[in-house]
Amino acid sequence: MADTDLNAAQLTVTITEALGITHDNGTDTRDFAQTCTHTYTGILNSTKKIIKLVNSNLVEIVTFSNDDVNNGMFVRGDVRYIRVTNLDGTDALQVGLDDEASDAAYTSVAANSSIMYTGVTCEGDNGGTTLDNATALKVKGIANQQLEVFIASV
């Protein structure tokens, strides 16, 4: 019988910021560049898809559970990294984690920009005293807006 086991891999995410501000006379450049790299180990599963929104309604694009992977759900404790990229060149996209009860955390993602999550908890109360398990990742944009979602899990 053939060996069909997957071998865990590592995901490396690198963010590079490049900014140099010069003086009028062209000297004394101020460099504000920075590169941040983080490695996630033990990755066995990844999902990457492009979604085209049908309308401007809030829509659930990913669901999470404690242990059930039926119907495309992700096991909450296994998710290590999520990236949502707004592929639209003009309009912002609202993206957030929602616990379907009392808490949700949404933010606006500018055109041609991304947001990353390294966990699936959220808090909607002022003060953020207790993070609750999110049950879904939701987005809201305009009709025909496209986005990409990438998820890496163990």
Side-chain angles (χ1 to χ4, degrees):
M1 179 181 249
D3 182 5
T4 58
D5 292 339
L6 294 176
N7 298 311
Q10 70 179 32
L11 168 66
T12 302
V13 176
T14 303
I15 299 171
T16 301
E17 299 167 341
L19 176 63
I21 299 175
T22 60
H23 190 271
D24 284 345
N25 64 17
T27 63
D28 198 24
T29 299
R30 305 283 189 216
D31 184 12
F32 296 94
Q34 180 173 327
T35 300
C36 299
T37 302
H38 188 80
T39 302
Y40 302 88
T41 59
I43 302 300
L44 282 169
N45 303 291
S46 67
T47 298
K48 183 177 179 179
K49 62 182 175 178
I50 294 176
I51 299 168
K52 183 176 182 178
L53 300 178
V54 176
N55 53 43
S56 61
N57 295 341
L58 184 64
V59 63
E60 189 174 88
I61 60 170
V62 178
T63 55
F64 308 104
S65 72
N66 287 332
D67 56 12
D68 180 16
V69 293
N70 292 328
N71 302 318
M73 290 181 124
F74 289 85
V75 176
R76 189 178 291 108
D78 291 350
V79 174
R80 297 294 182 263
Y81 178 83
I82 301 171
R83 176 185 46 81
V84 178
T85 300
N86 179 1
L87 299 175
D88 193 275
T90 307
D91 293 298
L93 178 71
Q94 294 176 36
V95 180
L97 293 170
D98 196 320
D99 76 355
E100 304 289 343
S102 60
D103 296 308
Y106 288 88
T107 191
S108 179
V109 178
N112 295 316
S113 297
S114 298
I115 187 168
M116 295 170 285
Y117 297 95
T118 57
V120 291
T121 54
C122 61
E123 176 57 52
D125 288 337
N126 188 9
T129 56
T130 305
L131 292 173
D132 296 317
N133 289 328
T135 57
L137 176 66
K138 296 181 178 181
V139 299
K140 183 177 181 179
I142 62 168
N144 299 316
Q145 188 167 5
Q146 293 183 326
L147 62 113
E148 179 182 76
V149 61
F150 173 75
I151 301 173
S153 60
V154 297

